[in-house]
Amino acid sequence: MSQRSPGQQQIPVVVLAGFLGSGKTTLLNHLLHRSGGTRIGAIVNDFGSIEIDAMAVAGALGDSTVSLGNGCLCCAVDASELDVYLERLARPAAGIDVIVIEASGLAEPQELVRMLLASEHPGVVYGGLVEVVDAAEFDGTRAKHPAIDRHLALADLVVVNKLDRAADGGRVLGLVRELADRAAVVPATYGRIDPGFLFDCRPSQERIGQLSFDDLHEHTGDGDDSDGHHAHLHAAYDSLSFVSEQPLDPRRLMGFLDSRPDGLYRIKGYVDFGAHDAVNRYAVHAVGPFLRFYPEPWADAGTRLTQLVLIGSGIDSTAVAKDLEACKSDAPHAADEHGMWGVLRYVQSPDEQGLEDLSA
């Protein structure tokens, strides 16, 4: 491990957490495009064997990213192993100003903060916990996972995202402020916040005292943590990865998406519709009933694949995989003019596209 030279400033490490689909990757991408010259390194912890979130940020980060797939960071590594990953980003030659750990949507932020406080890397310092909340799904999330209240109580900054989709955003904001103790609560749509909220979110010594190392070892609340790993949120969820070199038929895929089981909470990844749109691949984002497709040009070279990660609770993974296999196109080189209509209903509107362009 490298030694910090006298006078060398420590790099703050910020944990970006939040439940499935709350908008963590969207927020991180916004920060990358609005960094104002600040160099951001990232550790992206995806849940599933295909690292979709890592791919989503890799273009902006280049080699300033460490990707951890197929597991939950809070269980996959310990503090010393985390130091190895931090070393890649904290070396002086990298010129990184701030490191962001984008946790899996099923990670336990308490565990990640504990590991950072236990870190022996001389070049980094804990920079705070940022919890992202999906305002439109907040009531349902609390009902299913009361531990979310504890996550909010640990946070230094809470971003209440997707307020434009919440029927009663004001009530959600007020409730989050009650649950978040002394944390700053910032409303947002499309993950757009002032980067200063994140980069300056470095707790004072007194704030660390509120979230001391000893306190982090005390499991409070409803006892969900008493069994260790198996009590974490992700232990109750199943993850299915689907890869296909054969394009998918858009009508069949929409039939699958329109009838997906209630327990299938999160879908993310990229879809190849073959001859139906030979120019673009389609990023798909589904949280509960919400669904969006985002067309983006294919790279000039490389294999064209459909790559999806599906996360749910109590789902029949075998049946879901079989349904997705049935979506493969029987005629991958042929397309009818109306085949994409169902997909295009869920492509973002021009107004939304304008909002997305603001972060580019």
Side-chain angles (χ1 to χ4, degrees):
M1 195 68 66
S2 62
Q3 298 295 315
R4 185 166 61 97
S5 60
Q8 180 181 341
Q9 185 175 2
Q10 289 181 301
I11 299 172
V13 181
V14 177
V15 176
L16 181 61
F19 196 65
L20 292 165
S22 58
K24 298 182 298 296
T25 301
T26 300
L27 190 152
L28 179 55
N29 275 317
H30 166 71
L31 294 167
L32 292 170
H33 288 97
R34 292 294 190 193
S35 66
T38 299
R39 285 184 56 81
I40 304 172
I43 296 176
V44 179
N45 179 209
D46 224 355
F47 190 76
S49 60
I50 304 173
E51 298 166 357
I52 300 297
D53 288 349
M55 287 190 283
V57 301
L61 285 169
D63 61 359
S64 298
T65 182
V66 176
S67 177
L68 305 174
N70 198 26
C72 173
L73 179 60
C74 63
C75 299
V77 303
D78 59 22
S80 61
E81 290 174 301
L82 179 60
D83 281 347
V84 174
Y85 296 113
L86 292 173
E87 170 67 15
R88 286 181 52 184
L89 299 177
R91 65 189 189 280
I96 299 298
D97 299 307
V98 60
I99 296 172
V100 178
I101 297 178
E102 184 196 342
S104 157
L106 299 171
E108 282 289 334
Q110 174 175 295
E111 301 295 331
L112 300 180
V113 173
R114 178 190 299 166
M115 282 193 289
L116 282 171
L117 291 177
S119 171
E120 296 182 357
H121 194 292
V124 301
V125 62
Y126 172 60
L129 170 63
V130 179
E131 183 80 12
V132 184
V133 168
D134 182 341
E137 298 288 336
F138 185 61
D139 290 335
T141 300
R142 288 189 74 211
K144 293 174 64 177
H145 300 289
I148 296 298
D149 288 8
R150 176 168 46 81
H151 296 179
L152 291 172
L154 292 173
D156 298 286
L157 174 70
V158 179
V159 178
V160 183
N161 197 29
K162 304 185 184 181
L163 276 172
D164 55 318
R165 299 178 194 163
D168 51 357
R171 180 190 62 82
V172 174
L173 266 176
L175 180 56
V176 170
R177 288 191 172 105
E178 292 177 10
L179 296 170
D181 194 21
R182 291 181 290 172
V185 177
V186 180
T189 57
Y190 299 97
R192 290 173 178 79
I193 65 170
D194 184 341
F197 284 119
L198 189 78
F199 305 148
D200 295 333
C201 187
R202 185 180 302 184
S204 65
Q205 188 62 38
E206 291 75 22
R207 186 71 171 95
I208 288 289
Q210 180 187 345
L211 193 62
S212 69
F213 190 81
D214 290 337
D215 290 338
L216 287 169
H217 280 282
E218 295 177 5
H219 299 299
T220 59
D222 54 13
D224 286 347
D225 292 333
S226 59
D227 293 325
H229 171 90
H230 295 289
H232 291 182
L233 289 176
H234 59 80
Y237 279 76
D238 304 306
S239 176
L240 170 67
S241 298
F242 175 80
V243 180
S244 174
E245 294 184 2
Q246 185 175 338
L248 301 192
D249 180 272
R251 283 196 176 97
R252 295 178 188 175
L253 181 62
M254 289 311 305
F256 166 78
L257 293 173
D258 287 341
S259 61
R260 60 191 185 273
D262 292 339
L264 186 55
Y265 184 83
R266 181 83 168 98
I267 304 173
K268 56 184 177 179
Y270 302 96
V271 180
D272 175 17
F273 288 119
H276 289 275
D277 188 341
V279 176
N280 296 303
R281 68 177 182 175
Y282 283 72
V284 58
H285 170 77
V287 181
F290 180 80
L291 174 66
R292 282 290 185 274
F293 286 99
Y294 302 91
E296 53 187 61
W298 285 103
D300 293 335
T303 303
R304 296 189 174 188
L305 298 174
T306 290
Q307 297 176 295
L308 298 173
V309 170
L310 303 93
I311 302 172
S313 177
I315 61 174
D316 186 338
S317 297
T318 301
V320 171
K322 183 178 179 179
D323 290 342
L324 284 170
E325 287 289 335
C327 293
K328 292 181 178 179
S329 176
D330 295 329
H333 304 296
D336 67 86
E337 59 179 324
H338 304 309
M340 288 291 288
W341 281 9
V343 172
L344 296 177
R345 286 191 295 119
Y346 294 97
V347 171
Q348 60 191 128
S349 68
D351 289 342
E352 290 177 320
Q353 181 65 57
L355 285 170
E356 291 295 327
D357 289 343
L358 291 175
S359 65

